[in-house]
């Protein structure tokens, strides 16, 4: 248990490089079971999941294309088409939704951080099972019309769309920050 190689190998695989097969029902449940093992002060479970797969991906893409035109009637067709195709690559998208409890002794900021940890843990769980994954947001995650279309309540928000599938190619490594340059010591 003292080997950090798995964590060092974590990569985001661009959603456009993710295809079939996606996780089956048992694999998805296993990934979600690991994803909820995050710090959760107050045991609030301030998040939930929404699966988008199959024909629902196309339907969401059509809704995004319409909303893209509403937001910017002069948008180039290529921009609208990109929104239409946004959810069509990976066979499964798990939407991680923050379901916060304002006024609780655990601040909303900590509840949101717990949800962010869920997103990251889901990426790791997908990779552990041999899948590729990418955590995306984009304008659709913050648009109130899209959020209502997805069935979010007033106290909910999208933390991430986690695209999961089989990678068509290995994800490249990218330059990472030097942790030694980010570390300082506090002294009284």
């Amino acid at each position: 248990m003292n080997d950090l190689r798995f964590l060092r190998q974590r990569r985001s695989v661009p959603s456009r490089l993710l295809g079939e097969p996606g996780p089956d029902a048992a694999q998805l449940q296993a990934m979600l079971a690991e994803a909820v093992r995050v710090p959760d002060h107050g045991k609030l479970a301030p998040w939930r999941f929404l699966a988008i797969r199959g024909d629902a991906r196309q339907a969401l893409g059509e809704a995004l294309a319409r909303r893209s035109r509403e937001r910017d009637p002069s948008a180039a067709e290529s921009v609208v088409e990109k929104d239409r195709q946004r959810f069509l690559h990976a066979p499964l998208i798990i939407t991680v939704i923050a379901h916060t409890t304002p006024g609780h002794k655990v601040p909303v900021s900590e509840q949101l951080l717990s949800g962010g940890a869920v997103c990251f843990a889901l990426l790791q769980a997908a990779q552990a099972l041999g899948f590729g994954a990418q955590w995306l947001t984009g304008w659709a995650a913050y648009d109130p019309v899209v959020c209502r279309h997805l069935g979010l309540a007033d106290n909910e928000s999208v933390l991430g769309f986690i695209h999961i599938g089989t990678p068509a190619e290995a994800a490249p490594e990218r330059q990472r920050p030097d942790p030694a340059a980010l570390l300082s010591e506090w002294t009284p």
Side-chain angles (χ1 to χ4, degrees):
M1 291 282 275
N2 60 0
D3 190 345
L4 296 175
R5 283 180 292 185
F6 176 77
L7 295 175
R8 197 173 305 121
Q9 293 169 357
R10 197 211 67 78
R11 308 278 189 282
S12 290
V13 178
S15 64
R16 70 184 181 284
L17 298 178
L18 297 172
E20 295 287 354
D24 62 27
Q27 290 169 318
L28 175 56
Q29 286 305 307
M31 286 189 284
L32 296 177
E34 296 310 315
V36 300
R37 296 181 60 84
V38 298
D40 176 14
H41 304 146
K43 299 176 187 150
L44 296 174
W47 16 259
R48 67 182 181 91
F49 304 106
L50 179 66
I52 303 169
R53 56 183 149 202
D55 293 340
R57 298 174 306 147
Q58 178 70 40
L60 181 56
E62 293 301 329
L64 288 184
R66 284 190 303 275
R67 180 65 180 140
S68 184
R69 279 275 181 235
E70 289 171 4
R71 288 167 38 102
D72 182 4
S74 63
E77 188 54 40
S78 61
V79 171
V80 174
E81 189 59 27
K82 182 178 179 181
D83 288 332
R84 182 176 283 112
Q85 301 291 319
R86 190 173 300 272
F87 292 96
L88 288 180
H89 305 291
L92 174 65
I93 298 92
I94 296 295
T95 309
V96 180
I97 299 169
H99 183 82
T100 59
T101 304
H104 191 276
K105 69 178 183 177
V106 175
V108 168
S109 61
E110 287 188 31
Q111 296 176 49
L112 293 173
L113 289 168
S114 180
V118 165
C119 291
F120 184 64
L122 187 53
L123 292 176
Q124 291 179 308
Q127 184 170 329
L129 290 181
F131 295 103
Q134 186 176 29
W135 175 359
L136 296 172
T137 51
W139 68 267
Y142 308 106
D143 185 83
V145 172
V146 173
C147 288
R148 279 193 303 276
H149 186 73
L150 291 172
L152 274 65
D154 290 342
N155 67 328
E156 294 183 321
S157 58
V158 173
L159 294 173
F161 297 107
I162 312 299
H163 298 245
I164 304 170
T166 299
E169 59 188 66
E173 178 56 276
R174 66 174 176 82
Q175 185 68 34
R176 306 289 176 165
D178 176 8
L182 301 172
L183 178 64
S184 60
E185 295 284 335
W186 181 82
T187 56

